[in-house]
Amino acid sequence: MTAEHTDPRQDVHDASTDDRLQGILVQVAGDRSLTPDLDVRAALTDRLSDQGIDVDAAELDRLVSALPGQPGEEPGPFLTDGATPADDAN
C-alpha cells in the first residue's frame, strides 16, 4: 500500500514565453562558461525546441550574439528588459 498525498497542491503558474526564453539564455550562457567548445547555436536551438519556442534564423542570430560573456568566462546577468541589478533591489 502506498501513502496517500493529502497536502494541498501548490499553485502552478505557467511561465510566459519571455520568461522561458530568459531562462534558456541564462542556461546556455552557463553551459558556455563550463564548456568553452560548446556549439552555442546548436545548444540554444535544442533548448528552444524542447520548450516549443520557434524562432527564425535572424532571431536565433540575435539571441546567440546577445549571450553574455565569452567561452570559459563566468556568465554575467542577462536582463532582457533593460533592468539592472540595482533595479531589482528596489
Side-chain angles (χ1 to χ4, degrees):
M1 182 173 165
T2 60
E4 184 177 337
H5 184 80
T6 58
D7 293 336
R9 182 175 166 203
Q10 293 182 345
D11 287 338
V12 177
H13 302 285
D14 292 330
S16 70
T17 300
D18 287 342
D19 289 341
R20 290 185 299 146
L21 180 58
Q22 172 78 18
I24 290 168
L25 293 172
V26 169
Q27 290 172 341
V28 173
D31 293 346
R32 180 170 62 176
S33 73
L34 298 172
T35 311
D37 60 344
L38 177 72
D39 182 342
V40 174
R41 179 175 291 282
L44 187 56
T45 300
D46 289 344
R47 288 188 186 265
L48 291 169
S49 176
D50 290 346
Q51 289 297 313
I53 300 173
D54 294 322
V55 297
D56 62 24
E59 180 67 1
L60 185 61
D61 289 341
R62 187 190 73 76
L63 294 172
V64 168
S65 67
L67 285 169
Q70 295 297 315
E73 289 182 359
E74 288 294 317
F78 186 83
L79 304 169
T80 58
D81 62 0
T84 65
D87 294 332
D88 292 338
N90 295 327

Coordinates of all heavy atoms in Angstrom, one line a residue:
M1 N 0.8 -1.2 0.0 CA 0.0 0.0 0.0 C 0.9 1.2 0.0 O 1.8 1.3 0.8 CB -0.9 0.0 1.2 CG -1.8 1.1 1.3 SD -3.0 0.8 2.7 CE -3.6 2.4 2.8
T2 N 0.6 2.2 -0.8 CA 1.3 3.4 -0.9 C 0.6 4.5 -0.1 O -0.6 4.5 0.1 CB 1.5 3.9 -2.3 OG1 0.2 4.2 -2.9 CG2 2.2 2.9 -3.2
A3 N 1.4 5.4 0.4 CA 0.9 6.5 1.2 C 0.2 7.5 0.3 O 0.6 7.8 -0.8 CB 2.0 7.2 2.0
E4 N -1.0 8.0 0.8 CA -1.7 9.0 0.0 C -1.2 10.4 0.3 O -1.0 10.7 1.5 CB -3.2 8.9 0.4 CG -4.1 9.8 -0.5 CD -5.6 9.6 -0.1 OE1 -5.9 8.5 0.4 OE2 -6.3 10.5 -0.4
H5 N -1.1 11.2 -0.7 CA -0.6 12.5 -0.5 C -1.8 13.4 -0.2 O -2.8 13.5 -1.1 CB 0.1 13.0 -1.8 CG 0.6 14.4 -1.7 ND1 1.8 14.7 -1.1 CD2 0.2 15.6 -2.1 CE1 2.1 15.9 -1.1 NE2 1.1 16.5 -1.7
T6 N -1.9 14.0 1.0 CA -3.0 14.7 1.4 C -2.8 16.2 1.5 O -3.7 17.0 1.7 CB -3.6 14.2 2.7 OG1 -2.5 14.3 3.7 CG2 -4.0 12.8 2.6
D7 N -1.5 16.7 1.4 CA -1.2 18.1 1.4 C -1.8 18.8 0.2 O -2.0 18.2 -0.8 CB 0.3 18.4 1.4 CG 1.0 17.9 2.7 OD1 0.3 17.7 3.7 OD2 2.2 17.6 2.6
P8 N -2.2 20.1 0.4 CA -2.8 20.8 -0.7 C -1.7 21.0 -1.8 O -0.5 21.1 -1.5 CB -3.2 22.2 -0.1 CG -2.6 22.2 1.2 CD -2.2 20.9 1.6
R9 N -2.2 21.0 -3.0 CA -1.3 21.2 -4.2 C -0.9 22.6 -4.2 O -1.7 23.5 -4.1 CB -2.0 20.8 -5.4 CG -1.2 20.9 -6.6 CD -1.9 20.4 -7.9 NE -1.2 20.9 -9.0 CZ -1.6 21.0 -10.2 NH1 -2.9 20.7 -10.4 NH2 -0.9 21.5 -11.2
Q10 N 0.4 22.9 -4.5 CA 0.9 24.2 -4.6 C 0.4 24.8 -5.9 O 0.2 24.1 -6.9 CB 2.4 24.3 -4.6 CG 3.0 23.9 -3.3 CD 4.5 24.0 -3.3 OE1 5.1 24.1 -4.3 NE2 5.0 24.0 -2.1
D11 N 0.1 26.1 -5.9 CA -0.3 26.8 -7.2 C 0.8 26.6 -8.2 O 2.0 26.7 -7.9 CB -0.5 28.2 -6.9 CG -1.8 28.5 -6.2 OD1 -2.7 27.6 -6.2 OD2 -1.9 29.6 -5.6
V12 N 0.4 26.4 -9.4 CA 1.4 26.3 -10.5 C 1.1 27.4 -11.5 O 0.0 27.7 -11.9 CB 1.2 24.9 -11.3 CG1 2.1 24.9 -12.5 CG2 1.4 23.8 -10.4
H13 N 2.1 28.2 -11.7 CA 2.0 29.4 -12.6 C 2.8 29.1 -13.9 O 4.0 29.0 -13.8 CB 2.5 30.7 -11.9 CG 1.7 30.9 -10.6 ND1 0.4 31.4 -10.6 CD2 2.0 30.8 -9.4 CE1 0.0 31.6 -9.4 NE2 1.0 31.2 -8.6
D14 N 2.2 29.1 -15.0 CA 2.9 28.9 -16.2 C 3.7 30.2 -16.5 O 3.3 31.3 -16.4 CB 1.9 28.7 -17.4 CG 1.2 27.4 -17.3 OD1 1.8 26.4 -16.7 OD2 0.0 27.3 -17.8
A15 N 5.0 29.9 -16.9 CA 5.9 31.0 -17.3 C 5.5 31.5 -18.6 O 5.1 30.7 -19.5 CB 7.3 30.5 -17.2
S16 N 5.7 32.8 -18.8 CA 5.4 33.4 -20.2 C 6.6 32.9 -21.1 O 7.6 32.4 -20.7 CB 5.4 34.9 -20.1 OG 6.7 35.4 -19.8
T17 N 6.4 33.1 -22.4 CA 7.4 32.7 -23.4 C 8.6 33.6 -23.1 O 9.8 33.0 -23.2 CB 6.9 33.0 -24.8 OG1 5.7 32.1 -25.0 CG2 7.9 32.6 -25.8
D18 N 8.5 34.8 -22.8 CA 9.7 35.7 -22.5 C 10.4 35.2 -21.3 O 11.6 35.2 -21.2 CB 9.2 37.1 -22.2 CG 8.8 37.8 -23.5 OD1 9.2 37.3 -24.6 OD2 8.2 38.9 -23.4
D19 N 9.7 34.7 -20.2 CA 10.4 34.2 -19.0 C 11.1 32.9 -19.4 O 12.2 32.7 -18.9 CB 9.3 33.9 -17.9 CG 8.8 35.2 -17.3 OD1 9.4 36.2 -17.4 OD2 7.7 35.1 -16.6
R20 N 10.5 32.0 -20.2 CA 11.1 30.8 -20.6 C 12.4 31.1 -21.4 O 13.4 30.5 -21.2 CB 10.2 29.9 -21.3 CG 9.1 29.3 -20.4 CD 8.2 28.3 -21.1 NE 7.5 28.9 -22.2 CZ 7.2 28.3 -23.3 NH1 7.5 27.1 -23.5 NH2 6.5 29.0 -24.3
L21 N 12.2 32.0 -22.3 CA 13.4 32.4 -23.1 C 14.5 33.0 -22.3 O 15.7 32.6 -22.5 CB 12.9 33.5 -24.2 CG 14.0 34.0 -25.1 CD1 14.7 32.8 -25.9 CD2 13.4 35.0 -26.1
Q22 N 14.2 33.8 -21.3 CA 15.2 34.3 -20.4 C 15.9 33.2 -19.7 O 17.1 33.2 -19.6 CB 14.5 35.2 -19.3 CG 15.4 35.7 -18.2 CD 16.3 36.8 -18.6 OE1 16.0 37.5 -19.6 NE2 17.3 37.1 -17.8
G23 N 15.2 32.2 -19.2 CA 15.8 31.1 -18.5 C 16.7 30.3 -19.4 O 17.8 29.8 -19.0
I24 N 16.3 30.1 -20.7 CA 17.1 29.3 -21.6 C 18.4 30.1 -21.9 O 19.4 29.4 -22.0 CB 16.3 29.1 -22.9 CG1 15.1 28.1 -22.7 CG2 17.2 28.6 -24.1 CD1 14.1 28.0 -23.8
L25 N 18.3 31.4 -22.1 CA 19.5 32.1 -22.4 C 20.5 32.1 -21.2 O 21.7 31.9 -21.4 CB 19.2 33.6 -22.7 CG 18.4 33.8 -24.0 CD1 17.9 35.2 -24.1 CD2 19.2 33.4 -25.2
V26 N 20.0 32.1 -20.0 CA 20.8 32.0 -18.8 C 21.5 30.6 -18.8 O 22.7 30.5 -18.5 CB 20.0 32.3 -17.5 CG1 20.8 31.9 -16.3 CG2 19.6 33.8 -17.5
Q27 N 20.7 29.6 -19.1 CA 21.2 28.2 -19.1 C 22.3 28.0 -20.1 O 23.4 27.5 -19.8 CB 20.1 27.2 -19.3 CG 19.1 27.1 -18.2 CD 17.9 26.2 -18.6 OE1 17.6 26.0 -19.7 NE2 17.2 25.7 -17.5
V28 N 22.1 28.5 -21.3 CA 23.1 28.4 -22.4 C 24.3 29.2 -22.1 O 25.4 28.7 -22.3 CB 22.5 28.7 -23.8 CG1 23.6 28.7 -24.8 CG2 21.4 27.7 -24.1
A29 N 24.2 30.4 -21.5 CA 25.3 31.1 -21.1 C 26.1 30.4 -20.0 O 27.4 30.4 -20.1 CB 24.9 32.5 -20.6
G30 N 25.5 29.8 -19.1 CA 26.1 29.0 -18.1 C 26.8 27.8 -18.7 O 28.0 27.4 -18.3
D31 N 26.1 27.1 -19.6 CA 26.8 26.0 -20.3 C 28.0 26.4 -21.1 O 29.0 25.7 -21.0 CB 25.8 25.4 -21.4 CG 24.6 24.7 -20.7 OD1 24.6 24.4 -19.5 OD2 23.6 24.5 -21.5
R32 N 28.0 27.5 -21.7 CA 29.1 28.0 -22.4 C 30.3 28.3 -21.5 O 31.5 28.1 -21.8 CB 28.8 29.3 -23.3 CG 30.0 29.8 -24.0 CD 29.6 30.8 -25.0 NE 29.1 32.0 -24.4 CZ 28.8 33.1 -25.1 NH1 28.9 33.2 -26.4 NH2 28.3 34.2 -24.4
S33 N 30.0 28.8 -20.3 CA 31.1 29.1 -19.4 C 31.8 27.8 -18.9 O 33.0 27.8 -18.5 CB 30.6 29.9 -18.2 OG 29.8 29.1 -17.3
L34 N 31.0 26.7 -18.9 CA 31.6 25.4 -18.4 C 32.2 24.6 -19.5 O 33.0 23.8 -19.3 CB 30.5 24.6 -17.7 CG 29.9 25.3 -16.4 CD1 28.7 24.4 -16.0 CD2 31.0 25.4 -15.4
T35 N 31.7 24.9 -20.8 CA 32.2 24.1 -21.9 C 32.6 25.1 -23.0 O 31.8 25.4 -23.9 CB 31.0 23.2 -22.4 OG1 30.5 22.5 -21.3 CG2 31.5 22.2 -23.5
P36 N 33.9 25.5 -23.0 CA 34.3 26.5 -23.9 C 34.1 26.2 -25.4 O 33.9 27.1 -26.2 CB 35.8 26.7 -23.6 CG 35.9 26.3 -22.2 CD 34.9 25.2 -22.0
D37 N 34.1 24.9 -25.8 CA 33.9 24.5 -27.2 C 32.5 24.2 -27.5 O 32.2 23.6 -28.5 CB 34.8 23.3 -27.5 CG 34.6 22.1 -26.7 OD1 33.9 22.2 -25.6 OD2 35.0 21.0 -27.1
L38 N 31.5 24.6 -26.7 CA 30.1 24.3 -26.9 C 29.7 25.0 -28.2 O 30.0 26.1 -28.5 CB 29.3 24.9 -25.7 CG 27.8 24.8 -25.8 CD1 27.4 23.4 -25.6 CD2 27.1 25.7 -24.8
D39 N 28.9 24.2 -28.9 CA 28.2 24.8 -30.1 C 27.0 25.5 -29.6 O 25.9 24.9 -29.4 CB 27.8 23.7 -31.1 CG 27.2 24.2 -32.4 OD1 26.7 25.4 -32.4 OD2 27.1 23.4 -33.3
V40 N 27.2 26.8 -29.4 CA 26.1 27.6 -28.7 C 24.8 27.6 -29.6 O 23.7 27.5 -29.0 CB 26.6 29.1 -28.5 CG1 25.5 30.0 -28.0 CG2 27.8 29.1 -27.5
R41 N 25.0 27.8 -30.9 CA 23.8 27.8 -31.8 C 23.0 26.5 -31.6 O 21.8 26.5 -31.5 CB 24.2 28.0 -33.2 CG 23.1 28.0 -34.2 CD 23.6 28.4 -35.6 NE 24.0 29.8 -35.7 CZ 23.2 30.8 -35.8 NH1 21.9 30.6 -35.8 NH2 23.7 32.0 -35.9
A42 N 23.7 25.4 -31.6 CA 23.0 24.1 -31.5 C 22.4 23.9 -30.1 O 21.2 23.4 -30.0 CB 24.0 22.9 -31.8
A43 N 23.1 24.3 -29.1 CA 22.6 24.2 -27.7 C 21.3 25.1 -27.6 O 20.3 24.6 -27.0 CB 23.6 24.6 -26.7
L44 N 21.4 26.3 -28.1 CA 20.2 27.2 -28.0 C 19.1 26.6 -28.8 O 17.9 26.6 -28.3 CB 20.6 28.6 -28.5 CG 19.6 29.7 -28.3 CD1 19.2 29.8 -26.9 CD2 20.2 31.0 -28.8
T45 N 19.3 26.2 -30.0 CA 18.3 25.6 -30.8 C 17.6 24.4 -30.2 O 16.4 24.3 -30.1 CB 18.9 25.2 -32.2 OG1 19.4 26.3 -32.9 CG2 17.8 24.5 -33.1
D46 N 18.4 23.5 -29.5 CA 17.9 22.4 -28.8 C 17.0 22.8 -27.7 O 15.9 22.3 -27.5 CB 19.0 21.5 -28.3 CG 19.7 20.7 -29.4 OD1 19.1 20.7 -30.6 OD2 20.8 20.2 -29.2
R47 N 17.5 23.7 -26.9 CA 16.7 24.2 -25.7 C 15.4 24.9 -26.1 O 14.3 24.7 -25.5 CB 17.5 25.0 -24.8 CG 18.6 24.3 -24.0 CD 19.2 25.1 -23.0 NE 20.3 24.5 -22.3 CZ 20.3 23.8 -21.2 NH1 19.1 23.7 -20.6 NH2 21.3 23.3 -20.7
L48 N 15.5 25.7 -27.2 CA 14.3 26.4 -27.6 C 13.3 25.3 -28.2 O 12.1 25.4 -27.9 CB 14.6 27.3 -28.8 CG 15.4 28.6 -28.3 CD1 15.9 29.3 -29.5 CD2 14.5 29.5 -27.5
S49 N 13.7 24.4 -28.9 CA 12.9 23.3 -29.4 C 12.2 22.5 -28.3 O 11.0 22.2 -28.4 CB 13.7 22.4 -30.4 OG 12.9 21.3 -30.8
D50 N 13.0 22.2 -27.3 CA 12.5 21.4 -26.1 C 11.3 22.2 -25.5 O 10.4 21.5 -24.9 CB 13.6 21.2 -25.1 CG 14.6 20.2 -25.6 OD1 14.4 19.5 -26.6 OD2 15.7 20.1 -24.9
Q51 N 11.4 23.5 -25.5 CA 10.3 24.3 -24.9 C 9.2 24.7 -25.8 O 8.3 25.5 -25.5 CB 10.9 25.6 -24.2 CG 11.8 25.3 -23.0 CD 10.9 24.7 -21.9 OE1 9.8 25.2 -21.6 NE2 11.4 23.6 -21.3
G52 N 9.3 24.3 -27.1 CA 8.3 24.6 -28.1 C 8.3 26.1 -28.5 O 7.3 26.6 -28.9
I53 N 9.5 26.7 -28.4 CA 9.7 28.1 -28.8 C 10.3 28.1 -30.2 O 11.4 27.7 -30.4 CB 10.5 28.9 -27.8 CG1 9.9 28.9 -26.4 CG2 10.8 30.3 -28.3 CD1 10.7 29.5 -25.4
D54 N 9.6 28.6 -31.2 CA 10.1 28.7 -32.6 C 10.6 30.1 -32.8 O 10.0 31.1 -32.5 CB 8.9 28.5 -33.6 CG 8.4 27.0 -33.5 OD1 9.3 26.1 -33.3 OD2 7.2 26.8 -33.6
V55 N 11.9 30.2 -33.3 CA 12.5 31.5 -33.8 C 13.0 31.3 -35.2 O 13.4 30.2 -35.5 CB 13.6 31.9 -32.8 CG1 13.0 32.2 -31.4 CG2 14.7 30.9 -32.7
D56 N 13.0 32.3 -35.9 CA 13.6 32.3 -37.3 C 15.1 32.5 -37.2 O 15.7 32.7 -36.1 CB 13.0 33.3 -38.2 CG 13.1 34.7 -37.8 OD1 14.1 35.0 -37.1 OD2 12.3 35.6 -38.2
A57 N 15.8 32.3 -38.3 CA 17.3 32.4 -38.3 C 17.8 33.7 -37.8 O 18.8 33.8 -37.1 CB 17.8 32.0 -39.7
A58 N 17.1 34.8 -38.2 CA 17.6 36.1 -37.8 C 17.4 36.3 -36.3 O 18.3 36.8 -35.7 CB 16.8 37.2 -38.5
E59 N 16.4 35.8 -35.7 CA 16.2 35.9 -34.3 C 17.2 35.0 -33.5 O 17.7 35.4 -32.5 CB 14.7 35.5 -33.9 CG 14.5 35.6 -32.4 CD 14.5 37.0 -31.8 OE1 14.7 38.0 -32.5 OE2 14.3 37.1 -30.6
L60 N 17.5 33.8 -34.1 CA 18.5 33.0 -33.5 C 19.8 33.6 -33.5 O 20.6 33.6 -32.5 CB 18.5 31.6 -34.2 CG 19.4 30.6 -33.6 CD1 19.0 30.2 -32.2 CD2 19.4 29.3 -34.5
D61 N 20.2 34.3 -34.6 CA 21.4 35.0 -34.7 C 21.5 36.1 -33.6 O 22.5 36.3 -32.9 CB 21.6 35.7 -36.0 CG 21.9 34.7 -37.2 OD1 22.3 33.6 -36.9 OD2 21.7 35.1 -38.3
R62 N 20.4 36.8 -33.4 CA 20.3 37.9 -32.4 C 20.5 37.3 -31.0 O 21.2 37.9 -30.2 CB 19.0 38.7 -32.5 CG 19.0 39.9 -31.6 CD 17.6 40.5 -31.5 NE 16.7 39.7 -30.7 CZ 16.7 39.6 -29.4 NH1 17.6 40.3 -28.7 NH2 15.8 38.9 -28.7
L63 N 19.9 36.2 -30.7 CA 20.0 35.6 -29.4 C 21.4 35.1 -29.1 O 21.9 35.3 -28.0 CB 18.9 34.5 -29.3 CG 17.5 34.9 -29.3 CD1 16.6 33.6 -29.4 CD2 17.1 35.7 -28.1
V64 N 22.0 34.5 -30.1 CA 23.4 34.0 -29.9 C 24.3 35.2 -29.7 O 25.1 35.1 -28.8 CB 23.8 33.2 -31.2 CG1 25.3 32.9 -31.1 CG2 23.1 31.9 -31.3
S65 N 24.2 36.2 -30.4 CA 25.1 37.4 -30.2 C 24.8 38.1 -28.9 O 25.6 38.8 -28.4 CB 25.0 38.3 -31.4 OG 23.7 38.9 -31.5
A66 N 23.6 38.0 -28.4 CA 23.2 38.7 -27.1 C 23.6 37.9 -25.9 O 23.6 38.5 -24.8 CB 21.7 38.9 -27.1
L67 N 24.1 36.7 -26.0 CA 24.5 35.9 -24.8 C 25.7 36.6 -24.2 O 26.7 37.0 -24.9 CB 24.9 34.5 -25.2 CG 23.7 33.6 -25.5 CD1 24.3 32.3 -26.1 CD2 23.0 33.3 -24.2
P68 N 25.7 36.8 -22.9 CA 26.8 37.4 -22.2 C 28.0 36.6 -22.1 O 27.9 35.4 -22.2 CB 26.2 37.7 -20.8 CG 25.2 36.6 -20.6 CD 24.6 36.3 -21.9
G69 N 29.1 37.2 -21.9 CA 30.4 36.5 -21.6 C 31.0 35.9 -22.9 O 30.4 35.9 -23.9
Q70 N 32.1 35.3 -22.7 CA 32.8 34.6 -23.7 C 33.0 33.2 -23.3 O 33.0 32.9 -22.1 CB 34.2 35.3 -24.0 CG 34.1 36.7 -24.6 CD 33.4 36.7 -25.9 OE1 33.7 35.9 -26.8 NE2 32.4 37.6 -26.1
P71 N 33.3 32.3 -24.2 CA 33.5 30.9 -23.7 C 34.6 30.8 -22.6 O 35.6 31.5 -22.7 CB 34.0 30.2 -25.0 CG 33.4 31.0 -26.1 CD 33.4 32.5 -25.6
G72 N 34.3 30.1 -21.6 CA 35.2 29.9 -20.5 C 35.0 31.0 -19.4 O 35.6 30.8 -18.3
E73 N 34.3 32.0 -19.6 CA 34.1 33.1 -18.6 C 32.8 32.8 -17.8 O 31.9 32.1 -18.3 CB 33.9 34.4 -19.3 CG 35.1 35.0 -19.9 CD 34.8 36.4 -20.5 OE1 33.6 36.9 -20.4 OE2 35.7 37.0 -21.0
E74 N 32.8 33.3 -16.6 CA 31.5 33.2 -15.8 C 30.4 34.0 -16.5 O 30.7 35.1 -17.0 CB 31.8 33.8 -14.4 CG 32.6 32.9 -13.5 CD 32.0 31.6 -13.2 OE1 30.8 31.6 -12.9 OE2 32.7 30.6 -13.2
P75 N 29.2 33.4 -16.6 CA 28.1 34.2 -17.2 C 27.7 35.3 -16.4 O 27.7 35.3 -15.1 CB 27.0 33.1 -17.3 CG 27.3 32.2 -16.2 CD 28.8 32.1 -16.1
G76 N 27.5 36.4 -17.0 CA 27.0 37.6 -16.3 C 25.5 37.6 -16.3 O 24.9 36.7 -16.9
P77 N 24.9 38.7 -15.8 CA 23.4 38.7 -15.8 C 22.9 39.0 -17.2 O 23.6 39.7 -18.0 CB 23.1 39.9 -14.9 CG 24.4 40.7 -14.9 CD 25.5 39.8 -15.1
F78 N 21.8 38.4 -17.5 CA 21.2 38.6 -18.8 C 19.8 39.2 -18.6 O 18.9 38.4 -18.2 CB 21.2 37.3 -19.7 CG 20.6 37.6 -21.0 CD1 21.5 38.0 -22.0 CD2 19.3 37.4 -21.4 CE1 21.0 38.2 -23.3 CE2 18.9 37.6 -22.6 CZ 19.7 38.1 -23.6
L79 N 19.7 40.4 -18.7 CA 18.4 41.1 -18.4 C 17.8 41.6 -19.7 O 18.3 42.5 -20.3 CB 18.6 42.2 -17.4 CG 19.3 41.8 -16.1 CD1 19.7 43.0 -15.3 CD2 18.4 40.9 -15.3
T80 N 16.7 41.0 -20.1 CA 16.1 41.4 -21.4 C 15.3 42.7 -21.3 O 15.0 43.3 -22.3 CB 15.2 40.3 -21.9 OG1 14.2 40.0 -21.0 CG2 16.0 39.0 -22.2
D81 N 14.9 43.1 -20.1 CA 14.0 44.2 -20.0 C 14.8 45.5 -19.8 O 14.2 46.6 -19.5 CB 13.0 44.0 -18.9 CG 13.6 43.9 -17.5 OD1 14.8 43.9 -17.4 OD2 12.8 43.7 -16.6
G82 N 16.1 45.5 -19.8 CA 16.9 46.7 -19.6 C 17.1 47.1 -18.2 O 17.7 48.1 -17.8
A83 N 16.6 46.2 -17.2 CA 16.8 46.5 -15.8 C 18.2 46.2 -15.4 O 18.9 45.5 -16.1 CB 15.8 45.6 -15.0
T84 N 18.6 46.7 -14.3 CA 19.9 46.5 -13.8 C 19.8 45.8 -12.4 O 18.7 45.8 -11.9 CB 20.7 47.8 -13.6 OG1 20.1 48.5 -12.6 CG2 20.8 48.6 -14.9
P85 N 20.8 45.1 -11.9 CA 20.7 44.5 -10.6 C 20.3 45.5 -9.5 O 19.6 45.1 -8.6 CB 22.1 44.0 -10.3 CG 22.7 43.7 -11.7 CD 22.1 44.8 -12.6
A86 N 20.7 46.8 -9.7 CA 20.2 47.8 -8.7 C 18.7 48.0 -8.8 O 18.1 48.2 -7.8 CB 20.9 49.1 -9.0
D87 N 18.1 47.9 -10.0 CA 16.7 48.0 -10.1 C 16.0 46.9 -9.3 O 14.9 47.1 -8.7 CB 16.2 47.9 -11.6 CG 16.7 49.1 -12.4 OD1 16.9 50.2 -11.8 OD2 16.9 48.9 -13.6
D88 N 16.6 45.7 -9.3 CA 16.0 44.5 -8.6 C 16.0 44.7 -7.1 O 15.1 44.2 -6.4 CB 16.7 43.2 -9.0 CG 16.5 42.8 -10.4 OD1 15.5 43.2 -11.0 OD2 17.4 42.1 -10.9
A89 N 16.9 45.5 -6.6 CA 17.0 45.7 -5.2 C 15.9 46.7 -4.7 O 15.6 46.7 -3.5 CB 18.4 46.3 -4.8
N90 N 15.3 47.4 -5.6 CA 14.2 48.4 -5.2 C 12.9 47.7 -5.1 O 12.4 46.9 -5.7 CB 14.2 49.5 -6.1 CG 15.5 50.3 -6.0 OD1 16.1 50.4 -5.0 ND2 15.9 50.9 -7.2

